[in-house]
Amino acid sequence: MARGDHPRRTPVYGGLLIAAAMVGATLVVVDGTRLPTVLRAVLLVLCGLAALAGWLMTFRDLTPRRRP
């Protein structure tokens, strides 16, 4: 296996992306009262999309492998 070519790297990145989206959404909700409403909505949608991308990266390898 080459350096940086680990098969379990993508799910870890997905989990980190989910955690970052959760922290970002929390900051927008708690400290976002000074932001315009449109900007808050856009940031929350971006956090949701990041969480969805992280979920897809984390759970993409759960399909059972076929035997040749």
Side-chain angles (χ1 to χ4, degrees), residues 47-63:
C47 286
L49 291 174
L52 178 64
W55 186 85
L56 289 173
M57 289 174 68
T58 302
F59 295 110
R60 72 177 180 93
D61 292 332
L62 290 181
T63 56

Side-chain angles (χ1 to χ4, degrees), residues 16-44:
L16 291 174
L17 193 57
I18 292 171
M22 289 172 56
V23 169
T26 301
L27 290 175
V28 168
V29 169
V30 172
D31 293 333
T33 56
R34 296 177 301 238
L35 297 174
T37 306
V38 174
L39 181 60
R40 271 191 305 184
V42 169
L43 289 173
L44 287 175

